[in-house]
Amino acid sequence: MAIRVLIVDDSSFFRRRLQEILSADPELEVIDSAVNGREAVDKALALKPDVITMDIEMPVLDGISAVREILKVQRIPILMFSSLTHEGAKATLDALEAGAVDFLPKKFEDIARDKQEAGDVLRERVRAVARRRPLGRSTFSSSVLARSASSTLARRPLESQRPELRHATDTERVGRFERPALTPRTHFAASGKDYKLVAIGTSTGGPVALQRILTALPADFPLPIILIQHMPAAFTGAFAQRLNSLAKITIKEAEDNDVLKPGVAYLAPGGKQMLVDGSESQARLRIKEDDSPRITFKPSVDITFATAAKVFHDKVLAVVLTGMGADGREGARLLKQQGSAIWAQDEASCVVYGMPQAIAAAGLMDVEVSLEDVASRLLTELKHG
């Protein structure tokens, strides 16, 4: 059965263009369109589409308000279209917080280098969004990938690089809505290892996962944290600011020559690579432009993990969270060879079980952990509190 799509945008040109692109896929069926947020709410509740594409700025009722109203009543995955500006980033983060599950740039040339590839990415994203369950308000879930070469978003990884993606299947009923069933809390015992750095890599679903983890850490967290989240360049600054306003620790967008300090989390800037440099006692970050067409993700979890392995050897606690693809697997392999610890998020709490699955399938995982337990288990492992 085809995936039924409702298109919401006040531009007739964009509605027609989007319908043409989606209709080229026999798995996708555009069932209707709406010209403003109010009409979107009415049609969503009446037609019950499998997925909605939603503009942010519209008359009568804006896209963010429409997302809130729709998700109060019905769990329909919503894909936002956004401008890649600072203002667009803030609005998109608001939409994700309202419950939208993903976003893409509204300018197709920002998705990929050519029209064919942009269409392929768009259709693939709509199919992926339709398979996900939105978790409701106060969550983020963004799988927009990092800038690659002249494209604002990363090009899709080659098929040979992408493990088969499996989505969470265990669910528990909460009211009328479904949420992933999280692993019950258990007693954790510290391994006794010595660490100097926590490194976290993620993609799809990462914003909500990072927010949940980082806001649960105390201000005197004993180690520096480096964060690699697939996200466009225009978005990482706004995301870091939002996290910093919510957390007790300090969170900032990483800058070149930042010295790693305990209790500070450094978010890799979009469109660039974040490298760990120096020595274990005097480590710093280097932020590099990367025009290589061979590197899919910018920032890349693999690249940052690999440089962390060279500097910190066996003293890294690396955590791979929810996300599409396999970025992080090869970097985790290098960390593992040095004796560092590799944790991976469990399937039940992932938005997309891709990156953690790649870690598990490669035999690199030391600990499988539910999202709700990551922060408390980190504190136990580091013997803090």
Side-chain angles (χ1 to χ4, degrees):
M1 182 179 295
I3 295 169
R4 302 164 67 250
V5 183
L6 173 65
I7 296 174
V8 183
D9 200 286
D10 60 335
S11 166
S12 59
F13 172 80
F14 189 81
R15 292 196 305 273
R16 288 195 303 271
R17 182 71 182 119
L18 189 54
Q19 180 164 358
E20 290 173 1
I21 293 173
L22 297 181
S23 297
D25 188 334
E27 292 185 29
L28 303 175
E29 177 190 1
V30 177
I31 58 171
D32 206 343
S33 63
V35 301
N36 59 60
R38 176 53 55 201
E39 189 175 0
V41 174
D42 295 340
K43 290 190 175 183
L45 302 184
L47 299 174
K48 296 179 174 57
D50 297 312
V51 63
I52 299 171
T53 68
M54 181 82 71
D55 190 19
I56 291 179
E57 296 184 6
M58 294 182 293
V60 185
L61 187 70
D62 64 87
I64 299 170
S65 299
V67 169
R68 292 192 182 103
E69 290 202 21
I70 291 169
L71 296 182
K72 283 179 183 176
V73 182
Q74 191 166 344
R75 313 316 287 173
I76 302 174
I78 300 175
L79 173 67
M80 306 302 297
F81 279 95
S82 168
S83 62
L84 293 184
T85 64
H86 183 73
E87 293 74 18
K90 293 173 66 176
T92 303
L93 291 172
D94 287 340
L96 296 174
E97 188 169 18
V101 297
D102 208 347
F103 67 94
L104 279 174
K106 193 163 186 180
K107 292 183 179 180
F108 294 142
E109 58 266 32
D110 288 332
I111 298 177
R113 292 182 177 184
D114 59 70
K115 291 182 179 180
Q116 180 61 48
E117 186 178 6
D120 291 343
V121 171
L122 177 55
R123 288 185 288 267
E124 181 182 35
R125 193 62 53 79
V126 171
R127 290 194 300 270
V129 164
R131 291 193 293 267
R132 298 179 212 155
R133 289 180 299 277
L135 301 184
R137 296 182 60 180
S138 298
T139 67
F140 299 101
S141 174
S142 164
S143 67
V144 175
L145 302 180
R147 182 176 182 130
S148 176
S150 60
S151 173
T152 303
L153 299 184
R155 292 175 296 123
R156 293 173 297 146
L158 299 174
E159 292 297 325
S160 61
Q161 297 173 322
R162 295 163 58 195
E164 180 182 357
L165 299 181
R166 294 191 291 123
H167 300 268
T169 55
D170 296 331
T171 61
E172 60 181 356
R173 184 69 62 175
V174 179
R176 73 181 70 189
F177 305 139
E178 289 184 343
R179 296 177 182 269
L182 301 181
T183 304
R185 291 184 179 273
T186 57
H187 176 70
F188 303 130
S191 69
K193 281 182 62 65
D194 182 34
Y195 300 101
K196 298 295 183 182
L197 177 71
V198 173
I200 303 177
T202 186
S203 181
T204 317
V208 62
L210 291 176
Q211 179 175 315
R212 289 183 180 177
I213 294 166
L214 297 173
T215 55
L217 300 179
D220 60 344
F221 189 77
L223 298 180
I225 305 171
I226 55 175
L227 310 170
I228 309 96
Q229 162 74 59
H230 295 162
M231 188 173 274
F235 282 48
T236 45
F239 183 44
Q241 290 173 11
R242 181 170 296 214
L243 288 175
N244 189 60
S245 71
L246 298 171
K248 298 181 182 69
I249 64 170
T250 299
I251 302 170
K252 70 185 296 286
E253 185 179 38
E255 299 176 84
D256 192 41
N257 281 318
D258 271 345
V259 176
L260 294 180
K261 299 177 181 178
V264 181
Y266 304 84
L267 178 68
K272 300 178 182 180
Q273 298 297 355
M274 183 171 74
L275 286 64
V276 181
D277 195 13
S279 64
E280 186 179 300
S281 60
Q282 288 258 319
R284 64 182 62 242
L285 297 174
R286 301 307 308 270
I287 306 301
K288 300 290 186 180
E289 299 287 345
D290 187 351
D291 295 327
S292 171
R294 296 178 301 172
I295 305 300
T296 301
F297 303 110
K298 300 174 184 181
S300 163
V301 182
D302 277 331
I303 287 178
T304 304
F305 276 15
T307 59
K310 290 181 179 179
V311 174
F312 287 98
H313 307 291
D314 64 340
K315 293 181 172 58
V316 180
L317 201 171
V319 186
V320 178
L321 301 175
T322 175
M324 288 183 178
D327 187 27
R329 178 182 58 199
E330 298 312 311
R333 194 186 306 277
L334 294 174
L335 284 167
K336 185 79 168 180
Q337 289 171 358
Q338 292 288 331
S340 285
I342 312 297
W343 293 7
Q345 186 176 345
D346 67 357
E347 180 178 4
S349 65
C350 280
V351 173
V352 176
Y353 187 58
M355 289 166 58
Q357 182 191 30
I359 297 294
L364 302 172
M365 181 178 68
D366 294 304
V367 172
E368 184 176 63
V369 61
S370 173
L371 175 58
E372 68 174 0
D373 291 328
V374 173
S376 60
R377 188 146 189 177
L378 277 174
L379 296 175
T380 297
E381 180 70 4
L382 301 176
K383 302 174 184 177
H384 184 282

